[in-house]
Amino acid sequence: MYLEERRLAIIQHLIENDNGSVAYYSARFGVSKETIRHDLNALAESGFVRRCHGGAILSKRNLLSELSSGNSNELLELLKKINSDSEIFNDYRGQKKMSGRVCVFGSFNVDIVAKVSRFPRGGESLMALGSSVGPGGKGTNQATAASKAGAYVHFVSKVGKDQFSRMASEHLTLSEIDSFNLYQSDTEPTGSAIIYVSQDDGENMIAIYSGANITVTDAEVQGIFPALKKSDILFFSILIKRISVISLVTYSAIFFVLRNILLLLSGSVSMVLFSQSFQAFSFALFIPASAYFMHQFTMPADNVRAQTILSIAMTSGGVLGSIMGGVLLEFIDINRILFLSLFVVSGGLWLIIKGLRSKKLYNGGESQRII
């Protein structure tokens, strides 16, 4: 059997069985074990297989990543020669219909879940009904969801140098995420979440330690630029990891007040346009912060209702404001309307700060962070 035919047969066997041994291939093809080792090493160098003790393993995720990148014509030709109906080739043909390329820069956490009949009281030890440890984190979940939706996904995160970092690498390798880059922190452990799930009513209590997730450096951010240039969209949550909901909503209100001040003082079209940029910043902060706020401070059963009411209130407020502005223009000049607008939004800022920082909204009056 010629060298190319033998290697094609090895790949076909790996596609069908996921792994194979040097001894098996040596006996099957009637060649020495050293020859088989040479074949497997050559295939590993080409990125087709992954070497392991005594044989090789096929990594479908790596193969699909190579195929989708368009940089492995040799692999594509090999697969065509093997079997155009093979599972890996069908997976590749499905990926060619992807809806886009996505880069996700977000968190990886290890979820430690305990199922309990009810939540323990202060100082109480309660026997759990079951427990599990698994991968989690908003960034990981976003990357997984985008992959399942048909996108080509590159995931970037940061973990510690601990046993959980190995879990992260193994999980991502075996997942449908096409490629990933895991930075490692020398000072912080891998992020983790301790979760109590009540079997009585389905509620949960979560304590999150972000760990390495919030130690990302400027150099590491710059390191994702090559992948980002090839992507159609970037998902990230670094901002909301470091700033609380209260701060985001407060900053949003401040930007809106500044927008009204600048608009009042503007004496040219360029100044008017510049003032509108503050409104853009305001909404860019308010929209995600309000969504997280509703999610954190309403009961799970009321989350959708709360989001709906918020959306209706925002839309109705915009429509009502436009109508009132048009009516007021019939009676007073534009400068007085701007002064009135500044007074209203300043009052709104005061109400937001007073309301969000009220101890009635939080346990002990503490601001909760979004993780």
Side-chain angles (χ1 to χ4, degrees):
M1 178 179 287
Y2 292 110
L3 181 146
E4 181 182 3
E5 294 176 343
R6 186 172 64 247
R7 292 182 180 176
L8 285 173
I10 289 173
I11 293 177
Q12 184 171 17
H13 179 265
L14 289 173
I15 289 174
E16 294 171 352
N17 299 276
D18 293 332
N19 60 78
S21 68
V22 171
Y24 170 79
Y25 293 132
S26 175
R28 174 177 173 178
F29 301 123
V31 296
S32 68
K33 293 182 178 180
E34 188 60 34
T35 298
I36 295 298
R37 290 191 187 97
H38 180 73
D39 288 340
L40 295 180
N41 289 336
L43 292 172
E45 289 176 2
S46 301
F48 299 162
V49 303
R50 186 173 60 189
R51 290 285 274 121
C52 65
H53 180 70
I57 300 173
L58 179 76
S59 176
K60 292 184 180 181
R61 188 193 66 81
N62 290 340
L63 288 178
L64 290 172
S65 178
E66 287 290 321
L67 285 167
S68 299
S69 66
N71 297 325
S72 188
N73 292 328
E74 181 182 1
L75 174 58
L76 181 57
E77 290 304 316
L78 283 173
L79 292 177
K80 285 180 178 178
K81 291 178 181 178
I82 293 171
N83 183 0
S84 62
D85 293 325
S86 67
E87 178 184 350
I88 190 75
F89 191 68
N90 285 333
D91 286 347
Y92 164 68
R93 287 189 296 191
Q95 286 203 19
K96 297 305 284 186
K97 299 177 182 179
M98 289 178 181
S99 56
R101 300 179 73 92
V102 176
C103 180
V104 179
F105 189 16
S107 62
F108 177 92
N109 288 334
V110 174
D111 290 344
I112 305 170
V113 182
K115 297 179 180 179
V116 293
S117 57
R118 58 175 176 78
F119 294 137
R121 301 182 181 90
E124 180 186 16
S125 295
L126 193 66
M127 295 297 292
L129 302 176
S131 66
S132 63
V133 178
K138 283 187 168 55
T140 309
N141 294 341
Q142 287 176 338
T144 301
S147 295
K148 291 183 178 297
Y152 180 95
V153 178
H154 179 72
F155 177 56
V156 183
S157 191
K158 191 166 185 177
V159 296
K161 292 184 176 180
D162 50 29
Q163 68 273 25
F164 288 151
S165 67
R166 292 193 293 274
M167 175 190 287
S169 179
E170 291 174 2
H171 168 70
L172 294 171
T173 298
L174 297 174
S175 72
E176 297 180 30
I177 297 171
D178 300 279
S179 59
F180 64 90
N181 185 10
L182 285 179
Y183 294 115
Q184 286 190 300
S185 171
D186 293 322
T187 58
E188 290 288 339
T190 302
S192 59
I194 300 175
I195 307 170
Y196 288 115
V197 180
S198 171
Q199 301 303 291
D200 184 34
D201 54 12
E203 291 291 334
N204 62 51
M205 295 176 63
I206 307 174
I208 301 175
Y209 183 69
S210 296
N213 286 308
I214 54 174
T215 65
V216 177
T217 65
D218 292 341
E220 289 167 343
V221 172
Q222 293 176 2
I224 74 169
F225 285 177
L228 187 57
K229 290 178 180 178
K230 299 178 182 179
S231 302
D232 301 313
I233 190 171
L234 168 67
F235 288 118
F236 69 98
S237 53
I238 299 302
L239 175 65
I240 59 176
K241 287 177 181 298
R242 298 184 178 182
I243 303 177
S244 67
V245 177
I246 292 176
S247 297
L248 285 179
V249 176
T250 302
Y251 294 154
S252 170
I254 291 173
F255 273 120
F256 205 77
V257 171
L258 290 175
R259 174 259 188 187
N260 281 269
I261 293 174
L262 290 173
L263 188 60
L264 182 62
L265 299 176
S266 62
S268 64
V269 174
S270 59
M271 191 64 174
V272 171
L273 294 175
F274 177 68
S275 69
Q276 293 302 106
S277 65
F278 282 80
Q279 179 172 325
F281 282 125
S282 175
F283 277 93
L285 295 175
F286 179 77
I287 298 300
S290 62
Y292 277 100
F293 179 86
M294 290 298 181
H295 178 73
Q296 283 192 322
F297 302 113
T298 58
M299 298 295 289
D302 296 328
N303 284 163
V304 174
R305 185 187 306 169
Q307 291 285 353
T308 302
I309 293 173
L310 178 64
S311 299
I312 292 173
M314 291 174 59
T315 303
S316 301
V319 173
L320 183 61
S322 298
I323 294 174
M324 291 181 62
V327 172
L328 288 174
L329 279 174
E330 297 291 331
F331 303 99
I332 57 178
D333 59 66
I334 189 64
N335 286 330
R336 291 182 179 179
I337 290 180
L338 291 175
F339 270 114
L340 178 60
S341 173
L342 179 59
F343 174 77
V344 171
V345 296
S346 298
L349 173 60
W350 179 80
L351 289 174
I352 286 174
I353 295 175
K354 181 176 176 60
L356 288 179
R357 298 190 183 279
S358 169
K359 292 185 178 181
K360 295 180 181 179
L361 290 178
Y362 308 94
N363 294 327
E366 295 181 355
S367 164
Q368 296 191 23
R369 292 182 179 275
I370 305 172
I371 302 297

